Structure formats: structure tokens, C-alpha cells
Amino acid sequence: MTILSLNSPTVELQALDAAHHMHPFTKGAALAQKGARIITRADGCWLTDSEGNRILDGMAGLWCMNVGYGRTELADAAYRQMQELPFYNTFFQTSHVPALNLAAKLAEVAPGDLNHVFFAGSGSEANDTNLRMVRTYWDELGQPDRHVIISRWNAYHGSSVGSGSLGGMKPMHEQGGMPIPGIHHIDQPHWYNEGGDLTPEEFGLERAQQLEKAILEIGPEKVAAFIAEPIQGAGGVIIPPDTYWPEIQRIVKKYDILLIADEVICGFGRTGNWFGSQTMGIQPDIMTVAKGLSSGYQPIGASIVSDKVAKVIEATEFNHGYTYSGHPVACAVALENLRILEEDGIIERVRETTAPYLKQRFESLADHPLVGEVKIVGMMGSLALTPDKATRAPFKAEAGTAGYICRERCFANNLVMRHVYDRMILSPPLVISHDEIDILIERARKSLDEALVQLTAEGHMQAG
Ligand SMILES: *Cc1c(COP(=O)(O)O)cnc(C)c1O
């Protein structure tokens, strides 16, 4: 069998990929026909593909490359750890230095009394841990009926059966028998699409109060937890109205329901603070982290757990864990990543300099005829595409048609931006420079211009 290399012809790489590699969230047949874009190298905020194109990565990989590509310190940390101790487990009363150090560091940077860490290999796994942990918590407190977890439609919490059920992605639920029982979904605080005639403030309150309604319908004695992303990421970077989170916090407190903040995207500087919970002013009982925890250099996730919950869980044997919980190489790399975030002052720079600049430049796209709304917090933003700016109308074409066309134009212009239905989303590496932001905005505007031409030509600039 031939092993291909970075220098192999693109068509050969694409053919072998199509023959054997099954891609996540991809229509395989369509991809095979078109051929995958093959990424070969990366540095800073820039990707290189097998054709030698230099592509600006406006998505930080998959929301994770917080410190950017090409950090040799992280490669060195992995190399050192692999030589010293490439693997050992953390089951059955053993530990190792990278895991205990990383747990302590996370306890230091996490807000409030979130002082305990249960490791996983990914965000999905960490949310599976959370699902079982909150139910076990109430069992141990003698309230075994408290098993319902409330989540939101269009939330993303991962792709395993447990985490995918916690999530509210209907196309995912349609495949493979999800959601599992005991999970209840309420509506999302997506004012632009669903707010109707309410002001954002009124709408934020209304959506938060759906949580209270759901709790009362289900019965407060049956509800274990509420899980949410401080800002929905994969759902389309949906930034809730200011009224939303304070009301949610009031409600979970009133009914003594555990709050799980899924910080997989919002964590580690993305919103201009260590965690999105700080930006949104909430105090969760558990935080899910992954992605930016290692800046994507190693697969690792974790649940960061409050004193209150950990005390109950640790008093029993929690029959749960992953072979790679606290993997030493992943922990060593994550620890080094946190050191870089801290010592290079990356989060403060985001908050004080880069994010305000990106906001100003990103918001300049609001005047584009295709753009109905521009929203951004820290280094995560989105823009709504619309055929009619005045009314926030959706397109008559199937949702996602315009977004897909716009994304393809971005790709063609060597900019990675994704689309979620007809919303374009942005989440660049936190180390992006002002010059690179200028390039990003220039390419985004060009892509919007081209998308508008194509949408008009194809008769899609019609409200539905
Ligand atoms: C990506 C993501 C997950 C899942 O993480 P994986 O590492 O892909 O399993 C969970 N929650 C949120 C908010 C995410 O964005």
C-alpha cells in the first residue's frame, strides 16, 4: 500500500480520502465528487492547503486554536511528556503529575468554588460525565426522582448519545434514536430569528421564563439541572439579550437546580475573560471545558465541579471514567497552553485591544445589503444574511441555501468562515493581529458581494 505525503498530488490525496475516510457532519457522496480540501500545514492564524493556498482561519480550527498554530512550546511539552510518561491511567487510586497540576490550575482560574476537575477526552465525553454526575448527585442526596435535565433547542453539547441528547440539534436527534429519556428542551434566546415584535429585552425575559414554566410543569422535585452554553456557538453564535442570564440565574437558584455552563467554546479567553460565565455574570455548579483548554493541540475535555457537588460525588464511588481521563500528554500540553494564555497576556489583549478592534471592523459589515444583523462578543461573532434588511425576513429558499453559497465564496477567497443555516459565524484564533483582522474583513466583504451577485442571479433574494 502506498502511504501518501504532504507532497503527493491533490487528486491522489482526495481519491484516497474519498475511498476510505468517513467524514463527520458531511454528505460523503457529494464530498467524494468534489474532493476534500486538504490542509497540509498551519502557522499562527494561517492554513496552507495541498495546492499551496494560504487561507486565513476565521474559525480557529473548530473554535479551539486559541493560541494559534505553530506553538513550538506545546510540541515540546508533548515530546517531554511522551518520553517521561506517555500514558498512565487515573483510575483505582493512582495519579500523575500532569493531571494533578492541570486540575489545580483549572481550580485556580475557574470562578467561585469550582475547585474540582473530572477529566475526559473531549467535550462530548465531559457532558456525558455531567449528565451522570448531576443525576448521581441527587441520588446520593436521597432525591432519585430528580433526573430531568433541561436544555435548549439548537444547543450544541456534543455528538455522543448522551451529549447529543442534551444538545438540541433536531437533525442530530433524527438519527440513531436520540434524545434519550429524561431530557427536556426549551426554546433558545435567538431574538433575530424568533423574537417577533418583542424588544430583545422583553424576548430575553420571556425565553428565560420558559425555564421556570418547564420546571413547574415537570415538577421542581424532578429537575436535576439546566445546561446551556453562555453563548451558543455551533447554533450560530447566538448572543442572548442582556435580560436572559440574570433571570436564568434567579430561576435555578429559586428551585435549587444545578446549573451546568457548557464552556467548551466560551472558555479560555474566547469572550474576553477566562470563561463565558464571567462575561455573562453567572455562577455555575459545573462547567464543561474542552477545545481551547489545549488550544486543540491535544484532545482533552473536563468537568470543573463546585465544592458542593464534588463533596457529594466523592463521598461515593462514581462508576464512571475514560481510559484517557487525565491523559498525561494531553494534560501537559493543556497546562503549557494555560501558561501561554496567562504569561503572554492573551486574554487581556483580547479584552482590551483585539476584541474591540474586531468588533468595530466586523460591525462595519452591517451596511452590506445582504446583512440583517451583526453580533459579536469577544472573539466570537455572527452575521445574519437576509433578503430584506428592514423586516429580518428569512429567505424563501430552504434555510441554509444562502449561508452555503456565502461560505463557498469565503473558501474561494481563502477565508474560513462557517455558516449555520443563513448565519455566517466567526471565531478566529485569539492571537489574530489588527492587520489580519483587516484582511479578514476585506475578504468577508468581498465574499458577501459575490454571494449577493450569485443569490440575485439564482433568484434567491426573495423573502419567504
Ligand atoms: C464542540 C462542543 C462540544 C463537544 O466537544 P467535542 O470535543 O467535539 O466532543 C460540546 N459543547 C460545546 C459548546 C461545543 O462547542
Side-chain angles (χ1 to χ4, degrees), residues 219-230:
E221 72 292 349
K222 292 194 178 137
V223 180
F226 175 64
I227 182 168
E229 306 152 77

mmCIF file with all atom_site columns, all heavy atoms in Angstrom, residues 219-230:
data_model
loop_
_atom_site.group_PDB
_atom_site.id
_atom_site.type_symbol
_atom_site.label_atom_id
_atom_site.label_alt_id
_atom_site.label_comp_id
_atom_site.label_asym_id
_atom_site.label_entity_id
_atom_site.label_seq_id
_atom_site.pdbx_PDB_ins_code
_atom_site.Cartn_x
_atom_site.Cartn_y
_atom_site.Cartn_z
_atom_site.occupancy
_atom_site.B_iso_or_equiv
_atom_site.pdbx_formal_charge
_atom_site.auth_seq_id
_atom_site.auth_comp_id
_atom_site.auth_asym_id
_atom_site.auth_atom_id
_atom_site.pdbx_PDB_model_num
ATOM 1  N N   . GLY A 1 219 ? -42.355 19.564 37.447 1.00 0.00 ? 219 GLY A N   1
ATOM 2  C CA  . GLY A 1 219 ? -42.315 19.413 38.912 1.00 0.00 ? 219 GLY A CA  1
ATOM 3  C C   . GLY A 1 219 ? -40.896 19.664 39.390 1.00 0.00 ? 219 GLY A C   1
ATOM 4  O O   . GLY A 1 219 ? -39.981 18.941 38.989 1.00 0.00 ? 219 GLY A O   1
ATOM 5  N N   . PRO A 1 220 ? -40.715 20.694 40.233 1.00 0.00 ? 220 PRO A N   1
ATOM 6  C CA  . PRO A 1 220 ? -39.359 21.067 40.676 1.00 0.00 ? 220 PRO A CA  1
ATOM 7  C C   . PRO A 1 220 ? -38.624 19.897 41.331 1.00 0.00 ? 220 PRO A C   1
ATOM 8  O O   . PRO A 1 220 ? -37.401 19.817 41.259 1.00 0.00 ? 220 PRO A O   1
ATOM 9  C CB  . PRO A 1 220 ? -39.598 22.190 41.693 1.00 0.00 ? 220 PRO A CB  1
ATOM 10 C CG  . PRO A 1 220 ? -40.970 22.686 41.421 1.00 0.00 ? 220 PRO A CG  1
ATOM 11 C CD  . PRO A 1 220 ? -41.750 21.565 40.798 1.00 0.00 ? 220 PRO A CD  1
ATOM 12 N N   . GLU A 1 221 ? -39.385 18.971 41.924 1.00 0.00 ? 221 GLU A N   1
ATOM 13 C CA  . GLU A 1 221 ? -38.739 17.848 42.613 1.00 0.00 ? 221 GLU A CA  1
ATOM 14 C C   . GLU A 1 221 ? -38.198 16.808 41.634 1.00 0.00 ? 221 GLU A C   1
ATOM 15 O O   . GLU A 1 221 ? -37.582 15.831 42.045 1.00 0.00 ? 221 GLU A O   1
ATOM 16 C CB  . GLU A 1 221 ? -39.711 17.230 43.622 1.00 0.00 ? 221 GLU A CB  1
ATOM 17 C CG  . GLU A 1 221 ? -40.876 16.423 43.050 1.00 0.00 ? 221 GLU A CG  1
ATOM 18 C CD  . GLU A 1 221 ? -41.949 17.236 42.278 1.00 0.00 ? 221 GLU A CD  1
ATOM 19 O OE1 . GLU A 1 221 ? -41.923 18.487 42.341 1.00 0.00 ? 221 GLU A OE1 1
ATOM 20 O OE2 . GLU A 1 221 ? -42.802 16.615 41.617 1.00 0.00 ? 221 GLU A OE2 1
ATOM 21 N N   . LYS A 1 222 ? -38.427 17.055 40.330 1.00 0.00 ? 222 LYS A N   1
ATOM 22 C CA  . LYS A 1 222 ? -37.935 16.104 39.325 1.00 0.00 ? 222 LYS A CA  1
ATOM 23 C C   . LYS A 1 222 ? -36.813 16.670 38.455 1.00 0.00 ? 222 LYS A C   1
ATOM 24 O O   . LYS A 1 222 ? -36.288 15.978 37.592 1.00 0.00 ? 222 LYS A O   1
ATOM 25 C CB  . LYS A 1 222 ? -39.092 15.670 38.411 1.00 0.00 ? 222 LYS A CB  1
ATOM 26 C CG  . LYS A 1 222 ? -40.122 14.823 39.131 1.00 0.00 ? 222 LYS A CG  1
ATOM 27 C CD  . LYS A 1 222 ? -41.044 14.156 38.139 1.00 0.00 ? 222 LYS A CD  1
ATOM 28 C CE  . LYS A 1 222 ? -42.042 13.284 38.881 1.00 0.00 ? 222 LYS A CE  1
ATOM 29 N NZ  . LYS A 1 222 ? -43.397 13.423 38.354 1.00 0.00 ? 222 LYS A NZ  1
ATOM 30 N N   . VAL A 1 223 ? -36.472 17.926 38.664 1.00 0.00 ? 223 VAL A N   1
ATOM 31 C CA  . VAL A 1 223 ? -35.492 18.551 37.772 1.00 0.00 ? 223 VAL A CA  1
ATOM 32 C C   . VAL A 1 223 ? -34.114 18.568 38.426 1.00 0.00 ? 223 VAL A C   1
ATOM 33 O O   . VAL A 1 223 ? -33.936 19.089 39.533 1.00 0.00 ? 223 VAL A O   1
ATOM 34 C CB  . VAL A 1 223 ? -35.932 19.980 37.385 1.00 0.00 ? 223 VAL A CB  1
ATOM 35 C CG1 . VAL A 1 223 ? -34.898 20.620 36.464 1.00 0.00 ? 223 VAL A CG1 1
ATOM 36 C CG2 . VAL A 1 223 ? -37.298 19.940 36.700 1.00 0.00 ? 223 VAL A CG2 1
ATOM 37 N N   . ALA A 1 224 ? -33.148 17.973 37.724 1.00 0.00 ? 224 ALA A N   1
ATOM 38 C CA  . ALA A 1 224 ? -31.782 17.870 38.263 1.00 0.00 ? 224 ALA A CA  1
ATOM 39 C C   . ALA A 1 224 ? -30.945 19.087 37.917 1.00 0.00 ? 224 ALA A C   1
ATOM 40 O O   . ALA A 1 224 ? -30.216 19.613 38.768 1.00 0.00 ? 224 ALA A O   1
ATOM 41 C CB  . ALA A 1 224 ? -31.106 16.613 37.704 1.00 0.00 ? 224 ALA A CB  1
ATOM 42 N N   . ALA A 1 225 ? -31.034 19.522 36.665 1.00 0.00 ? 225 ALA A N   1
ATOM 43 C CA  . ALA A 1 225 ? -30.080 20.543 36.210 1.00 0.00 ? 225 ALA A CA  1
ATOM 44 C C   . ALA A 1 225 ? -30.584 21.244 34.962 1.00 0.00 ? 225 ALA A C   1
ATOM 45 O O   . ALA A 1 225 ? -31.449 20.738 34.246 1.00 0.00 ? 225 ALA A O   1
ATOM 46 C CB  . ALA A 1 225 ? -28.733 19.891 35.905 1.00 0.00 ? 225 ALA A CB  1
ATOM 47 N N   . PHE A 1 226 ? -30.021 22.409 34.736 1.00 0.00 ? 226 PHE A N   1
ATOM 48 C CA  . PHE A 1 226 ? -30.196 23.129 33.472 1.00 0.00 ? 226 PHE A CA  1
ATOM 49 C C   . PHE A 1 226 ? -28.819 23.277 32.849 1.00 0.00 ? 226 PHE A C   1
ATOM 50 O O   . PHE A 1 226 ? -27.863 23.647 33.530 1.00 0.00 ? 226 PHE A O   1
ATOM 51 C CB  . PHE A 1 226 ? -30.809 24.510 33.736 1.00 0.00 ? 226 PHE A CB  1
ATOM 52 C CG  . PHE A 1 226 ? -30.930 25.386 32.511 1.00 0.00 ? 226 PHE A CG  1
ATOM 53 C CD1 . PHE A 1 226 ? -31.758 25.034 31.452 1.00 0.00 ? 226 PHE A CD1 1
ATOM 54 C CD2 . PHE A 1 226 ? -30.205 26.575 32.414 1.00 0.00 ? 226 PHE A CD2 1
ATOM 55 C CE1 . PHE A 1 226 ? -31.863 25.843 30.316 1.00 0.00 ? 226 PHE A CE1 1
ATOM 56 C CE2 . PHE A 1 226 ? -30.311 27.393 31.283 1.00 0.00 ? 226 PHE A CE2 1
ATOM 57 C CZ  . PHE A 1 226 ? -31.144 27.021 30.234 1.00 0.00 ? 226 PHE A CZ  1
ATOM 58 N N   . ILE A 1 227 ? -28.716 22.929 31.579 1.00 0.00 ? 227 ILE A N   1
ATOM 59 C CA  . ILE A 1 227 ? -27.422 23.057 30.886 1.00 0.00 ? 227 ILE A CA  1
ATOM 60 C C   . ILE A 1 227 ? -27.550 24.042 29.738 1.00 0.00 ? 227 ILE A C   1
ATOM 61 O O   . ILE A 1 227 ? -28.552 24.036 29.019 1.00 0.00 ? 227 ILE A O   1
ATOM 62 C CB  . ILE A 1 227 ? -26.911 21.692 30.364 1.00 0.00 ? 227 ILE A CB  1
ATOM 63 C CG1 . ILE A 1 227 ? -25.528 21.863 29.695 1.00 0.00 ? 227 ILE A CG1 1
ATOM 64 C CG2 . ILE A 1 227 ? -27.893 21.027 29.389 1.00 0.00 ? 227 ILE A CG2 1
ATOM 65 C CD1 . ILE A 1 227 ? -24.809 20.552 29.400 1.00 0.00 ? 227 ILE A CD1 1
ATOM 66 N N   . ALA A 1 228 ? -26.540 24.895 29.595 1.00 0.00 ? 228 ALA A N   1
ATOM 67 C CA  . ALA A 1 228 ? -26.550 25.850 28.486 1.00 0.00 ? 228 ALA A CA  1
ATOM 68 C C   . ALA A 1 228 ? -25.146 26.366 28.224 1.00 0.00 ? 228 ALA A C   1
ATOM 69 O O   . ALA A 1 228 ? -24.317 26.428 29.134 1.00 0.00 ? 228 ALA A O   1
ATOM 70 C CB  . ALA A 1 228 ? -27.471 27.028 28.797 1.00 0.00 ? 228 ALA A CB  1
ATOM 71 N N   . GLU A 1 229 ? -24.913 26.739 26.987 1.00 0.00 ? 229 GLU A N   1
ATOM 72 C CA  . GLU A 1 229 ? -23.706 27.473 26.633 1.00 0.00 ? 229 GLU A CA  1
ATOM 73 C C   . GLU A 1 229 ? -23.939 28.944 26.997 1.00 0.00 ? 229 GLU A C   1
ATOM 74 O O   . GLU A 1 229 ? -25.006 29.483 26.678 1.00 0.00 ? 229 GLU A O   1
ATOM 75 C CB  . GLU A 1 229 ? -23.455 27.372 25.120 1.00 0.00 ? 229 GLU A CB  1
ATOM 76 C CG  . GLU A 1 229 ? -23.401 25.961 24.561 1.00 0.00 ? 229 GLU A CG  1
ATOM 77 C CD  . GLU A 1 229 ? -23.831 25.899 23.084 1.00 0.00 ? 229 GLU A CD  1
ATOM 78 O OE1 . GLU A 1 229 ? -23.020 26.282 22.222 1.00 0.00 ? 229 GLU A OE1 1
ATOM 79 O OE2 . GLU A 1 229 ? -24.982 25.472 22.804 1.00 0.00 ? 229 GLU A OE2 1
ATOM 80 N N   . PRO A 1 230 ? -22.976 29.599 27.638 1.00 0.00 ? 230 PRO A N   1
ATOM 81 C CA  . PRO A 1 230 ? -23.161 31.029 27.942 1.00 0.00 ? 230 PRO A CA  1
ATOM 82 C C   . PRO A 1 230 ? -23.536 31.815 26.683 1.00 0.00 ? 230 PRO A C   1
ATOM 83 O O   . PRO A 1 230 ? -24.431 32.652 26.699 1.00 0.00 ? 230 PRO A O   1
ATOM 84 C CB  . PRO A 1 230 ? -21.800 31.452 28.491 1.00 0.00 ? 230 PRO A CB  1
ATOM 85 C CG  . PRO A 1 230 ? -21.246 30.192 29.106 1.00 0.00 ? 230 PRO A CG  1
ATOM 86 C CD  . PRO A 1 230 ? -21.719 29.074 28.217 1.00 0.00 ? 230 PRO A CD  1
#
